[in-house]
Amino acid sequence: MRHLGHYISFGVNLVMFGFVCTFIAHQSKRRRNMPTHWLRYGPAYLAVVAALMIMADQTRHVLQDLGVWKSGPWPGSSQYVDDCDFKVASVPLFNCSSTADCGSFPCGHLGHVSVVNGSTCRSCDEGVGVCVESAESFSCLSAVGWACTGLTYAGFCVFFFASFWNANLVGKLRAIAAKWEALREGE
């Protein structure tokens, strides 16, 4: 089921970013009087770069789900390291003596299985005797996970900047400030 969610998310975002980037590129006509190519088309270029940055992690998920980019040794597609010490007990609790007791479907993570194909990955914490889930936290991110997470956050920042530039937000705020000052001078 998780794979289907990845595909839907990828498709919806691809279509959405396609429309938004096309809209911003079309808005470049409003900036015809700008002196340089960058000032005319900069928001469109930044929106495309931002879309690619934001889509990096979703692309990783889809490539991993399709088996194109396998989990494993460097540069594997796993977002989290397999041997992360930060674990969370599975709910409901499953008693185990080996990882095989925690499920029968291999997850792609070394030494992890799931109860149902595509569900949460678990392994056996033999010291405690219960199935545990690797916590999906910043402390367990792999190098690929850090790169994709960083690209996503940076991509949203670039996208906001491109959108604000396209909307001429600074110019509009200056116009509002000038009108406010004109109103205040008349008092």
Side-chain angles (χ1 to χ4, degrees):
M1 208 57 188
R2 183 168 37 179
H3 301 310
L4 180 61
H6 292 159
Y7 303 146
I8 291 170
S9 176
F10 181 84
V12 166
N13 281 302
L14 190 64
V15 169
M16 182 208 58
F17 281 123
F19 282 131
V20 169
C21 291
T22 302
F23 173 77
I24 292 175
H26 185 71
Q27 292 290 309
S28 298
K29 292 178 184 177
R30 293 182 304 130
R31 292 183 292 279
R32 269 186 247 149
N33 60 344
M34 294 292 182
T36 65
H37 181 82
W38 174 250
L39 291 175
R40 279 189 298 276
Y41 297 103
Y45 293 146
L46 287 179
V48 169
V49 168
L52 293 173
M53 292 169 73
I54 294 167
M55 292 292 293
D57 189 50
Q58 294 173 359
T59 303
R60 180 197 62 80
H61 275 292
V62 169
L63 292 176
Q64 185 179 33
D65 294 344
L66 293 173
V68 174
W69 189 8
K70 304 255 188 237
S71 301
W74 179 260
S77 63
S78 293
Q79 186 169 2
Y80 299 98
V81 295
D82 289 326
D83 57 350
C84 183
D85 292 331
F86 193 72
K87 307 273 188 214
V88 176
S90 298
V91 177
L93 287 174
F94 292 103
N95 293 325
C96 64
S97 58
S98 71
T99 296
D101 296 335
C102 299
S104 57
F105 293 95
C107 287
H109 301 293
L110 299 174
H112 288 76
V113 293
S114 62
V115 177
V116 178
N117 193 16
S119 69
T120 303
C121 295
R122 300 181 170 103
S123 64
C124 183
D125 184 341
E126 294 172 7
V128 181
V130 296
C131 295
V132 293
E133 300 171 6
S134 295
E136 295 184 350
S137 68
F138 282 112
S139 61
C140 294
L141 284 173
S142 66
V144 170
W146 277 108
C148 287
T149 301
L151 281 170
T152 300
Y153 283 112
F156 277 110
C157 292
V158 172
F159 191 74
F160 287 132
F161 182 80
S163 298
F164 292 158
W165 183 4
N166 182 60
N168 191 23
L169 187 65
V170 173
K172 290 175 181 174
L173 290 175
R174 283 187 185 140
I176 290 170
K179 287 179 182 177
W180 176 257
E181 286 300 318
L183 286 172
R184 303 260 345 230
E185 287 176 4
E187 290 181 359

